[in-house]
Amino acid sequence: MLKENFAKFMKKMPLDEMVLGIGDVARVTGVSQSQLRYWERKGYIQTSELADGGNRKFTYKTALQVKQIKMLLDEGYTLVSAVARARKRGVYAETLRSFFEERFNAITVDDDQHEATIDLGVFDPDPSQHLIAYRRADQWHFRLGPAE
């Protein structure tokens, strides 16, 4: 059984500090550098910083947004509609990230049994208990367990 505490690791993931060059973003998203510059001029995406020599840098979050816009464009959405949908999805993703950053305490994985347990922290109505999510037979369930 593998047991690891990723809480500190998850909370220290500096997504806003992880920056990529425009060439890297173009390569991983399939969007050309000229298209990225156009989207930036239109205000659809933001440059994190301009490095020495004027090279554009984008955060990891922006790279994910670019990939979402590209996927939506490939599905037939207009650029304006794709940007709006990607921004909405970004709000959802940020909400989930915030939830896990605040609630995630630990994870236990049993590779042999394909089972996992996630400690979501203190159960508000009863601080002596933690809310535990666990997967058995490919289904997620919840239970209360003692705070350790």
Side-chain angles (χ1 to χ4, degrees):
M1 183 181 305
L2 173 67
K3 182 174 183 174
E4 296 184 43
N5 183 341
F6 288 109
K8 290 180 183 174
F9 174 75
M10 294 294 289
K11 291 178 181 181
K12 291 183 179 182
M13 288 295 290
L15 294 181
D16 291 331
E17 297 173 19
M18 298 172 78
V19 292
L20 302 166
I22 191 168
D24 295 324
V25 174
R27 182 179 44 78
V28 299
T29 64
V31 176
S32 71
Q33 292 184 32
S34 60
Q35 185 105 36
L36 291 169
R37 288 186 197 95
Y38 173 76
W39 292 359
E40 179 190 10
R41 279 194 311 275
K42 293 299 242 176
Y44 298 145
I45 60 173
Q46 302 288 319
T47 301
S48 171
E49 59 190 54
L50 289 177
D52 295 335
N55 294 328
R56 288 171 169 77
K57 298 289 182 182
F58 297 93
T59 65
Y60 182 74
K61 285 182 183 180
T62 300
L64 292 174
Q65 180 185 21
V66 168
K67 185 65 174 177
Q68 286 187 23
I69 293 169
K70 170 77 164 88
M71 289 170 50
L72 290 163
L73 288 171
D74 291 347
E75 290 176 15
Y77 290 93
T78 66
L79 180 56
V80 171
S81 179
V83 168
R85 287 176 180 268
R87 285 182 178 158
K88 189 170 189 176
R89 288 180 181 177
V91 170
Y92 294 159
E94 182 60 25
T95 300
L96 283 171
R97 186 203 59 79
S98 172
F99 171 77
F100 280 104
E101 184 177 276
E102 291 178 25
R103 295 302 311 225
F104 179 80
N105 277 349
I107 185 170
T108 304
V109 177
D110 184 334
D111 293 327
D112 296 330
Q113 299 297 318
H114 303 287
E115 296 178 353
T117 303
I118 300 173
D119 182 343
L120 294 171
V122 174
F123 183 63
D124 295 340
D126 181 356
S128 70
Q129 299 287 307
H130 275 209
L131 179 60
I132 309 294
Y134 64 97
R135 185 182 67 206
R136 302 285 186 272
D138 294 327
Q139 298 231 342
W140 283 98
H141 307 276
F142 295 90
R143 65 176 171 79
L144 294 177
E148 295 179 8

